[in-house]
Amino acid sequence: MEKIVINGGKPLKGEVFVTGAKNAALGIIPAAILAETPSEIENVPDIQDIKNYITMLRKIGATVEQDGNTLRIDPSGIHYDNIVNIEEESRKMRASYYMYGALLSKYRRVMLPLPGGCDLGARPIDMHIKAFEALGAKVEIKNGYLNANAEKLTGADIYFDITSVGATINTMLAAVMAEGTTVLENAAKEPHVVDAANFMNYMGARINGAGTDTIKIRGVKELFGCNYSVVPDQIRAGTYMMAAVATGGDILIKGIIPEHLESVTAKLIEMGSKVIEYDDAIRVIGMKPIKAVNVRTMPHPGFPTDLQQPMGVLMCLAKGTSMITENIFESRFKYVNELTKMGARVTVTNGNVAIFHGGDKLMGARINATDLRAGAAMVIAGLVAEGETIVGGLEHIDRGYEDIVGKYASLGADIKKVNFEE
Ligand code: EPZ
């Protein structure tokens, strides 16, 4: 079994380029099947979740060509009956829920297993279902499957009780060719939501207001393929920013949109580091001592839940007590147990608050990625720890990080993948 082996303690130095956002690409690729003609999508990250999606599209009959970070998706060969072939992939990943919205939009029906993905506690999809129902679909959950049918889809006013990235994108997919106008209130504002809307607009959709609380979708009769480039991944960029701070390094993160990282930049400055913004890059100079801070995860433009785990590593190293309040997912502190194996002192209270006592010297250990972002945090912990750290659970990390070992090695880290006989 492959694991990552790190000899920590080297400050990261140099430049790293970040490709497109996983969570944007995972909304855009299913949207491409709505078109009559092929789309060419650039800046697609080369990660396992995307590979799974490509497999799903091929299995339902699409032709997908991949050339580096560019995908060419021709949806003309897709047949509804082929969806029985994608049940395994559908169960494996969270973003398979976008197949519900896309297939409902295209065929007025869909029956697929409920989605898998990172175990972050309960991850209901009730708001996706309510939205499909509001558009006129009959939806049933039975034996682990979602089964939705609609004679026709009709525009509706939909209010989301909670801001949800998945429910917002899924409803846009389902409503884009519905009859009439759909208005989404309390919509998610993440850059990937805006990107999915932009992509659909390039295909001929009429979606306004993405990036604000209210999104208006005027249904169109058909969509056509387009050329598009996926928005840069602010979560991976934020991860590298934190790796620079943790190791006391100096790195330039390229190919990104600094405005998408304001909440992260503000925290790192508060922690004493230097952050210099350019048009499409950010330079981070990690300064010691790291100052203690408090973080509350929030929907965009708040501090992203997907970056609280690397932030947790910084808080272990900081001088003084720091606190994270996790407001999005109920169980996203599993990684804390792994950090304690390295000498960190962290107390989790009420399930959603973690107190980092700070001033800890992390020591190399055998640790595991308990989910995707936890994995990114474990690698940062290894980069800063004294001695050898072995990180297992790479299947989680590979789902969302493109060549993480190569990227850190190019920044001067002593890091490699090793095959262990278990
Ligand atoms: C998306 O998950 C991302 N996944 C997550 O990224 C990310 O952490 C999350 O958004 C928040 O930004 C993808 O885009 C594929 P939500 P999603 O719906 O859509 C509750 C990563 O590591 N909720 O915005 O599943 C939900 O339980 C992953 O890249 C309902 O109650 O998240 C949560 O408390 C992990 N009912 C909150 O809303 C619903 O029907 C926000 O979740 C839907 C969500």
Side-chain angles (χ1 to χ4, degrees), residues 336-350:
V336 157
N337 288 338
E338 303 303 298
L339 289 179
T340 56
K341 292 180 191 165
M342 305 178 83
R345 292 163 309 128
V346 190
T347 316
V348 178
T349 60
N350 301 330

PDB file of all heavy atoms in Angstrom, residues 336-350:
ATOM      1  N   VAL A 336      -7.816  15.501  14.422  1.00  0.00           N
ATOM      2  CA  VAL A 336      -7.189  15.936  15.664  1.00  0.00           C
ATOM      3  C   VAL A 336      -6.524  14.754  16.384  1.00  0.00           C
ATOM      4  O   VAL A 336      -5.433  14.885  16.950  1.00  0.00           O
ATOM      5  CB  VAL A 336      -8.281  16.629  16.536  1.00  0.00           C
ATOM      6  CG1 VAL A 336      -7.920  16.617  17.987  1.00  0.00           C
ATOM      7  CG2 VAL A 336      -8.531  18.045  16.032  1.00  0.00           C
ATOM      8  N   ASN A 337      -7.168  13.578  16.343  1.00  0.00           N
ATOM      9  CA  ASN A 337      -6.571  12.388  16.978  1.00  0.00           C
ATOM     10  C   ASN A 337      -5.213  12.083  16.379  1.00  0.00           C
ATOM     11  O   ASN A 337      -4.286  11.661  17.068  1.00  0.00           O
ATOM     12  CB  ASN A 337      -7.458  11.161  16.760  1.00  0.00           C
ATOM     13  CG  ASN A 337      -8.708  11.250  17.582  1.00  0.00           C
ATOM     14  OD1 ASN A 337      -8.743  11.968  18.571  1.00  0.00           O
ATOM     15  ND2 ASN A 337      -9.747  10.545  17.158  1.00  0.00           N
ATOM     16  N   GLU A 338      -5.101  12.277  15.061  1.00  0.00           N
ATOM     17  CA  GLU A 338      -3.823  11.996  14.394  1.00  0.00           C
ATOM     18  C   GLU A 338      -2.764  12.999  14.847  1.00  0.00           C
ATOM     19  O   GLU A 338      -1.614  12.646  15.083  1.00  0.00           O
ATOM     20  CB  GLU A 338      -3.990  12.054  12.870  1.00  0.00           C
ATOM     21  CG  GLU A 338      -5.053  11.114  12.324  1.00  0.00           C
ATOM     22  CD  GLU A 338      -4.811   9.661  12.709  1.00  0.00           C
ATOM     23  OE1 GLU A 338      -3.770   9.126  12.306  1.00  0.00           O
ATOM     24  OE2 GLU A 338      -5.656   9.084  13.417  1.00  0.00           O
ATOM     25  N   LEU A 339      -3.183  14.271  14.981  1.00  0.00           N
ATOM     26  CA  LEU A 339      -2.219  15.292  15.417  1.00  0.00           C
ATOM     27  C   LEU A 339      -1.717  15.010  16.833  1.00  0.00           C
ATOM     28  O   LEU A 339      -0.555  15.286  17.149  1.00  0.00           O
ATOM     29  CB  LEU A 339      -2.851  16.690  15.356  1.00  0.00           C
ATOM     30  CG  LEU A 339      -3.105  17.271  13.959  1.00  0.00           C
ATOM     31  CD1 LEU A 339      -3.760  18.641  14.052  1.00  0.00           C
ATOM     32  CD2 LEU A 339      -1.800  17.374  13.160  1.00  0.00           C
ATOM     33  N   THR A 340      -2.590  14.461  17.673  1.00  0.00           N
ATOM     34  CA  THR A 340      -2.146  14.178  19.047  1.00  0.00           C
ATOM     35  C   THR A 340      -1.056  13.096  19.046  1.00  0.00           C
ATOM     36  O   THR A 340      -0.184  13.093  19.910  1.00  0.00           O
ATOM     37  CB  THR A 340      -3.324  13.761  19.965  1.00  0.00           C
ATOM     38  OG1 THR A 340      -3.965  12.647  19.386  1.00  0.00           O
ATOM     39  CG2 THR A 340      -4.327  14.880  20.146  1.00  0.00           C
ATOM     40  N   LYS A 341      -1.091  12.209  18.032  1.00  0.00           N
ATOM     41  CA  LYS A 341      -0.017  11.188  17.932  1.00  0.00           C
ATOM     42  C   LYS A 341       1.336  11.856  17.689  1.00  0.00           C
ATOM     43  O   LYS A 341       2.382  11.259  17.875  1.00  0.00           O
ATOM     44  CB  LYS A 341      -0.301  10.225  16.773  1.00  0.00           C
ATOM     45  CG  LYS A 341      -1.496   9.335  17.004  1.00  0.00           C
ATOM     46  CD  LYS A 341      -1.704   8.426  15.801  1.00  0.00           C
ATOM     47  CE  LYS A 341      -3.038   7.724  15.896  1.00  0.00           C
ATOM     48  NZ  LYS A 341      -3.456   7.126  14.628  1.00  0.00           N
ATOM     49  N   MET A 342       1.282  13.099  17.183  1.00  0.00           N
ATOM     50  CA  MET A 342       2.532  13.814  16.874  1.00  0.00           C
ATOM     51  C   MET A 342       2.928  14.760  18.015  1.00  0.00           C
ATOM     52  O   MET A 342       3.887  15.512  17.891  1.00  0.00           O
ATOM     53  CB  MET A 342       2.364  14.615  15.580  1.00  0.00           C
ATOM     54  CG  MET A 342       1.900  13.758  14.421  1.00  0.00           C
ATOM     55  SD  MET A 342       1.642  14.723  12.918  1.00  0.00           S
ATOM     56  CE  MET A 342       3.311  14.821  12.280  1.00  0.00           C
ATOM     57  N   GLY A 343       2.141  14.743  19.076  1.00  0.00           N
ATOM     58  CA  GLY A 343       2.489  15.579  20.230  1.00  0.00           C
ATOM     59  C   GLY A 343       1.627  16.820  20.387  1.00  0.00           C
ATOM     60  O   GLY A 343       1.869  17.630  21.291  1.00  0.00           O
ATOM     61  N   ALA A 344       0.604  16.988  19.544  1.00  0.00           N
ATOM     62  CA  ALA A 344      -0.248  18.174  19.662  1.00  0.00           C
ATOM     63  C   ALA A 344      -1.187  18.035  20.851  1.00  0.00           C
ATOM     64  O   ALA A 344      -1.555  16.913  21.218  1.00  0.00           O
ATOM     65  CB  ALA A 344      -1.060  18.350  18.382  1.00  0.00           C
ATOM     66  N   ARG A 345      -1.538  19.171  21.437  1.00  0.00           N
ATOM     67  CA  ARG A 345      -2.509  19.151  22.543  1.00  0.00           C
ATOM     68  C   ARG A 345      -3.760  19.890  22.089  1.00  0.00           C
ATOM     69  O   ARG A 345      -3.753  21.119  21.921  1.00  0.00           O
ATOM     70  CB  ARG A 345      -1.894  19.814  23.782  1.00  0.00           C
ATOM     71  CG  ARG A 345      -0.744  18.992  24.388  1.00  0.00           C
ATOM     72  CD  ARG A 345       0.110  19.782  25.309  1.00  0.00           C
ATOM     73  NE  ARG A 345       0.536  21.024  24.667  1.00  0.00           N
ATOM     74  CZ  ARG A 345       0.394  22.235  25.210  1.00  0.00           C
ATOM     75  NH1 ARG A 345      -0.136  22.386  26.400  1.00  0.00           N
ATOM     76  NH2 ARG A 345       0.808  23.302  24.544  1.00  0.00           N
ATOM     77  N   VAL A 346      -4.791  19.109  21.842  1.00  0.00           N
ATOM     78  CA  VAL A 346      -6.037  19.671  21.292  1.00  0.00           C
ATOM     79  C   VAL A 346      -7.211  19.067  22.059  1.00  0.00           C
ATOM     80  O   VAL A 346      -7.226  17.869  22.327  1.00  0.00           O
ATOM     81  CB  VAL A 346      -6.204  19.309  19.795  1.00  0.00           C
ATOM     82  CG1 VAL A 346      -7.357  20.093  19.177  1.00  0.00           C
ATOM     83  CG2 VAL A 346      -4.918  19.531  19.012  1.00  0.00           C
ATOM     84  N   THR A 347      -8.174  19.925  22.406  1.00  0.00           N
ATOM     85  CA  THR A 347      -9.384  19.433  23.069  1.00  0.00           C
ATOM     86  C   THR A 347     -10.574  19.746  22.181  1.00  0.00           C
ATOM     87  O   THR A 347     -10.733  20.894  21.747  1.00  0.00           O
ATOM     88  CB  THR A 347      -9.584  20.169  24.426  1.00  0.00           C
ATOM     89  OG1 THR A 347      -8.327  20.230  25.088  1.00  0.00           O
ATOM     90  CG2 THR A 347     -10.616  19.488  25.293  1.00  0.00           C
ATOM     91  N   VAL A 348     -11.387  18.729  21.900  1.00  0.00           N
ATOM     92  CA  VAL A 348     -12.601  18.969  21.108  1.00  0.00           C
ATOM     93  C   VAL A 348     -13.781  18.998  22.070  1.00  0.00           C
ATOM     94  O   VAL A 348     -13.974  18.086  22.861  1.00  0.00           O
ATOM     95  CB  VAL A 348     -12.793  17.872  20.038  1.00  0.00           C
ATOM     96  CG1 VAL A 348     -14.082  18.094  19.262  1.00  0.00           C
ATOM     97  CG2 VAL A 348     -11.603  17.852  19.080  1.00  0.00           C
ATOM     98  N   THR A 349     -14.534  20.092  22.027  1.00  0.00           N
ATOM     99  CA  THR A 349     -15.700  20.218  22.917  1.00  0.00           C
ATOM    100  C   THR A 349     -16.950  20.391  22.078  1.00  0.00           C
ATOM    101  O   THR A 349     -16.895  20.948  20.975  1.00  0.00           O
ATOM    102  CB  THR A 349     -15.568  21.451  23.843  1.00  0.00           C
ATOM    103  OG1 THR A 349     -15.482  22.602  23.028  1.00  0.00           O
ATOM    104  CG2 THR A 349     -14.350  21.366  24.735  1.00  0.00           C
ATOM    105  N   ASN A 350     -18.067  19.952  22.569  1.00  0.00           N
ATOM    106  CA  ASN A 350     -19.387  20.077  21.895  1.00  0.00           C
ATOM    107  C   ASN A 350     -19.374  19.499  20.487  1.00  0.00           C
ATOM    108  O   ASN A 350     -20.261  19.807  19.705  1.00  0.00           O
ATOM    109  CB  ASN A 350     -19.815  21.547  21.756  1.00  0.00           C
ATOM    110  CG  ASN A 350     -19.909  22.254  23.079  1.00  0.00           C
ATOM    111  OD1 ASN A 350     -20.202  21.616  24.073  1.00  0.00           O
ATOM    112  ND2 ASN A 350     -19.626  23.534  23.087  1.00  0.00           N
TER     113      ASN A 350
END
